Amino acid sequence: MKPPPRMRRAPRATSAEKTVPPLAEGNIRIIPLGGVEEIGKNMTAIEMGNDIVVIDIGFAFPTEEMPGVDYIIPDVTYLEKNKEKVRGVVITHGHLDHTGGIPYIMGRIGNPPLYTRNLTSLFIKKRMDEFPHLPPLDMRVVENESKIKLGEITVRFFGVTHTIPDSFGIIIETPYGLIVNPGDYKLDLDGVDGKPTNEEEKRYGIFEKEKTLLLLADSTNIENPGFSVPERETHKNLEEIIKSIKGRLFIGTFASQLERMIKIVEIVEKYGRKLVIEGRSMKTNMEISQLAGLWKLKKDTVISMQDASKYPEDKVVVLATGAQGEEFAALMRMANKTHKYLRFKKGDTVLLSSSIVPGNEIAVQKLKDNIARQGAKIISYRTSDVYIHSSGHGNRGEIEWLHKKIKPKFFIPIHGSHHKLRQHEDLALELGMPEKNIIVPDNGSVIEITDKGQKIQILKEGVSNRVVMVDGLGQNNVEEVVIRDRQMLSQEGMFVIVAIVDARTGRVRKSPDIISRGFVYLKDSQELLHHARSLAKKKIEESTAAMHPINFDYVKNVIREEVGRYLFQKTHHRPIILPVLIEV
């Protein structure tokens, strides 16, 4: 059985972490617990009366400053303290930035019922298989236009366009109007001219008949002008490439781009090609979507990578993970010739159907270099004359369209770093919304709609918003000091001093041994090591001269301090110093 992950809560300066007052009768409380100072970790709580509804439980990936950490999840201390009021969790779609925190958080908030659409429920079930020690979720499938009651709160759903099927937005009814959160969305457009399809107009037409009190909306692509490229435009261009390309075709994309992957399967079958699917996450996602009935596979369309060489090269398409240059993903292993069955060669074409996630530029460049060295041709979204990738998030034009369609009284921008939220605020101001009706929150901000829906304000008190880190390596709850040690080890190295100490006299039996990793090259640092040995021996014997029995913890601290000071003077580095004193 996989051991339960350990969680760390790193202290962090909060806006105003004080005791949050009880919710006054008739007021509505909105608490963004994640996703408003970053991309990912999306989670929002809505509280009315004696009930709380939670929207999404996502995670984020760690930064370079968090070595050894697997995920970052929202701090749900407030919900833990009020778990008796949590009536349900609604999940907008199946991407991990909206679902990834579920295994770590559901138990802590009382395992309330979880509502989502069918495909998303299958993704969540698949992931929960990795946590057999957890109790099963009370998961309930709902569909677009469903209406459910969570305590006294009525929640409705409406379909939205995203890169994964079964995405929906959330409508929460209040006595003063609707609270609307479309989740991640873009518009389904007739073309690249920004005209929504009739189906899209119909979906959002419901808001023309009802009063919207508050809109919480995605800010991910607020910096991109105009409208996003319709996914169907990408599909059309991919079809042309698959139809006409000579030689083997390798397509790298995000495993989360499920609609695109399903379309690629359809195109491959249409032109009589064979498909190799390579990469664990991609295989898993395709299996789940097939289980959900989103696509049907003709016999023998998908072949194993071992069999790819049995077919004419013009007939083979490889759909693989690793378009972001991930070290152990399929494309990178093919590129650096460590893949067991597949290598690139002259005549191959590699199509990277994805944008580059900020921070991955160097990794993608290395991937491209290694592919090019093997003679394969590369088509990326930057070099292609046609659109081969489109974002799943609406650009500024679509965001503006949404505001005009929904016409909210109040507005809270979510899903994005702070400057993106501010840009989204600017858009709302340009559209005529009064500044006092907009709140730009931080994680843990407590926002309340008061005065019977006439006023929105942010409280001076905030809920706990510590950085909660998860790794799956152990069972102990350790603190941020572990992260600090890992950072020091990676940046400064370690310096081990091993000395044999006579417990009766306090004398060191022989010159201490020194082991160093990641600090200095020992062969070139003999003088430094000689002085470090002498200093350690001297300080041990000075410390133990009048000590009986010997307090070895005290002596170790003296060695750490004295040797550490000497090494910093000589090298300007502060390695972790580990004194090992052997008592004889």
Side-chain angles (χ1 to χ4, degrees):
M1 179 182 291
K2 181 179 179 178
R6 55 183 174 184
M7 300 182 189
R8 310 182 182 107
R9 300 184 187 202
R12 173 184 172 182
T14 60
S15 54
E17 190 179 331
K18 299 177 181 177
T19 301
V20 177
L23 181 64
E25 185 177 353
N27 288 355
I28 302 169
R29 180 171 286 172
I30 303 101
I31 306 176
L33 294 167
V36 295
E37 297 179 63
E38 67 249 312
I39 297 294
K41 198 160 73 71
N42 300 299
M43 186 174 185
T44 304
I46 310 288
E47 183 174 357
M48 288 195 291
N50 199 37
D51 304 313
I52 295 175
V53 174
V54 176
I55 301 174
D56 291 327
I57 305 179
F59 70 37
F61 290 103
T63 64
E64 292 180 352
E65 291 75 34
M66 302 173 182
V69 173
D70 294 325
Y71 312 114
I72 312 297
I73 61 174
D75 183 345
V76 294
T77 302
Y78 179 80
L79 296 181
E80 288 181 82
K81 293 177 180 175
N82 293 277
K83 66 173 68 173
E84 74 283 354
K85 298 176 71 175
V86 180
R87 306 300 174 204
V89 173
V90 288
I91 302 294
T92 57
H93 64 281
H95 285 160
L96 288 169
D97 56 337
H98 294 255
T99 65
I102 288 173
Y104 312 107
I105 287 177
M106 283 297 284
R108 295 163 58 191
I109 62 174
N111 272 320
L114 186 153
Y115 298 83
T116 193
R117 292 192 69 189
N118 182 49
L119 178 65
T120 308
S121 74
L122 294 175
F123 276 114
I124 294 172
K125 285 179 183 173
K126 182 69 176 178
R127 185 137 196 278
M128 292 303 291
D129 288 344
E130 300 175 20
F131 300 85
H133 59 285
L134 297 179
L137 298 177
D138 178 6
M139 194 146 50
R140 306 178 188 184
V141 173
V142 291
E143 294 300 334
N144 293 340
E145 302 174 8
S146 296
K147 180 187 284 192
I148 59 174
K149 201 82 171 175
L150 300 178
E152 296 300 319
I153 299 177
T154 299
V155 181
R156 292 150 50 190
F157 309 96
F158 64 102
V160 299
T161 300
H162 192 37
T163 54
I164 186 170
D166 280 8
S167 300
F168 63 23
I170 309 294
I171 298 172
I172 294 177
E173 296 183 358
T174 84
Y176 321 117
L178 307 178
I179 295 176
V180 179
N181 180 345
D184 288 357
Y185 74 97
K186 64 185 294 185
L187 294 179
D188 186 22
L189 306 173
D190 276 335
V192 293
D193 58 354
K195 183 183 177 185
T197 61
N198 292 335
E199 177 63 25
E200 205 73 292
E201 291 279 4
K202 183 181 175 184
R203 283 175 170 175
Y204 289 92
I206 56 176
F207 299 109
E208 295 174 351
K209 304 170 187 173
E210 297 186 78
K211 174 185 169 186
T212 298
L213 177 69
L214 169 67
L215 172 66
L216 300 108
D218 179 17
S219 311
T220 303
N221 277 355
I222 188 69
E223 295 176 298
N224 297 351
F227 288 77
S228 64
V229 176
E231 183 65 21
R232 68 164 57 83
E233 190 73 15
T234 299
H235 292 174
K236 183 179 72 177
N237 295 328
L238 288 175
E239 178 169 353
E240 189 60 32
I241 292 171
I242 293 172
K243 180 179 73 173
S244 58
I245 206 79
K246 301 298 181 185
R248 296 186 302 177
L249 175 62
F250 296 76
I251 302 176
T253 189
F254 298 111
S256 58
Q257 289 274 6
L258 207 50
E259 290 204 354
R260 191 173 305 166
M261 293 191 295
I262 292 171
K263 190 64 182 180
I264 288 171
V265 174
E266 291 178 12
I267 298 170
V268 164
E269 290 190 328
K270 181 178 178 180
Y271 293 100
R273 291 200 169 208
K274 301 298 179 184
L275 183 68
V276 175
I277 301 175
E278 179 56 352
R280 180 172 173 265
S281 57
M282 194 166 276
K283 287 178 180 176
T284 299
N285 290 356
M286 293 298 280
E287 288 169 5
I288 292 174
S289 60
Q290 192 174 14
L291 186 64
L294 296 175
W295 58 293
K296 292 182 180 178
L297 194 65
K298 291 181 181 176
K299 187 180 179 182
D300 298 333
T301 295
V302 175
I303 60 174
S304 69
M305 65 187 96
Q306 296 94 321
D307 290 339
S309 60
K310 299 177 182 176
Y311 293 86
E313 294 185 346
D314 286 354
K315 291 290 184 183
V316 176
V317 175
V318 179
L319 185 58
T321 56
Q324 296 301 305
E326 300 94 324
E327 184 178 1
F328 299 108
L331 279 180
M332 185 59 91
R333 286 186 284 124
M334 296 175 204
N336 60 25
K337 301 181 182 180
T338 58
H339 195 282
K340 190 172 181 179
Y341 298 103
L342 295 171
R343 305 279 171 88
F344 297 119
K345 63 181 182 179
K346 189 174 182 180
D348 291 339
T349 301
V350 181
L351 190 154
L352 301 178
S353 179
S354 62
S355 58
I356 300 176
V357 175
N360 291 345
E361 293 85 356
I362 294 176
V364 173
Q365 192 59 51
K366 288 180 180 176
L367 174 69
K368 288 180 176 178
D369 286 346
N370 286 333
I371 293 172
R373 283 185 183 280
Q374 297 184 53
K377 179 185 175 185
I378 300 171
I379 303 174
S380 72
Y381 79 105
R382 285 181 172 166
T383 60
S384 175
D385 294 330
V386 295
Y387 296 112
I388 59 170
H389 172 68
S390 58
S391 170
H393 299 263
N395 283 0
R396 187 180 177 91
E398 285 145 290
I399 296 171
E400 181 176 336
W401 183 92
L402 183 81
H403 278 261
K404 290 177 177 176
K405 200 73 175 177
I406 292 183
K407 299 182 178 68
K409 181 179 180 67
F410 302 123
F411 171 56
I412 300 174
I414 57 174
H415 300 182
S417 54
H418 186 74
H419 82 278
K420 291 191 176 190
L421 304 189
R422 287 295 178 189
Q423 286 191 315
H424 203 163
E425 177 191 34
D426 290 343
L427 173 61
L429 292 171
E430 289 172 17
L431 295 174
M433 181 173 284
E435 187 174 0
K436 63 184 175 61
N437 287 10
I438 305 170
I439 299 290
V440 177
D442 289 328
N443 293 328
S445 294
V446 177
I447 302 157
E448 289 194 355
I449 297 174
T450 62
D451 301 346
K452 296 184 177 180
Q454 295 305 307
K455 183 179 177 184
I456 189 168
Q457 61 182 354
I458 188 166
L459 304 190
K460 64 180 184 298
E461 301 89 355
V463 303
S464 176
N465 68 339
R466 299 169 193 273
V467 177
V468 183
M469 297 169 280
V470 178
D471 76 40
L473 300 179
Q475 302 180 41
N476 299 320
N477 187 14
V478 292
E479 300 299 328
E480 70 281 1
V481 68
V482 174
I483 297 299
R484 188 194 66 193
D485 285 349
R486 289 178 182 177
Q487 289 173 340
M488 287 186 66
L489 282 169
S490 66
Q491 296 167 6
E492 307 286 340
M494 60 185 289
F495 196 80
V496 183
I497 303 165
V498 183
I500 300 173
V501 181
D502 188 316
R504 186 174 56 83
T505 64
R507 305 281 295 176
V508 177
R509 286 288 180 90
K510 62 177 185 176
S511 180
D513 291 329
I514 288 179
I515 303 168
S516 174
R517 293 291 183 272
F519 172 49
V520 293
Y521 184 48
L522 295 182
K523 284 188 176 178
D524 292 344
S525 309
Q526 290 303 311
E527 184 177 347
L528 179 82
L529 300 180
H530 173 74
H531 280 93
R533 282 193 189 93
S534 299
L535 180 62
K537 183 173 184 292
K538 178 183 176 187
K539 292 302 171 184
I540 291 171
E541 294 181 344
E542 285 180 357
S543 302
T544 58
M547 189 182 292
H548 190 77
I550 297 173
N551 183 338
F552 281 93
D553 288 336
Y554 171 79
V555 179
K556 288 178 182 177
N557 284 334
V558 170
I559 297 172
R560 285 192 193 94
E561 186 174 331
E562 296 295 335
V563 176
R565 183 181 297 118
Y566 169 73
L567 295 179
F568 180 73
Q569 288 172 348
K570 294 297 181 184
T571 67
H572 289 185
H573 286 283
R574 298 185 186 278
I576 288 183
I577 296 174
L578 301 175
V580 178
L581 303 184
I582 302 172
E583 180 183 357
V584 295

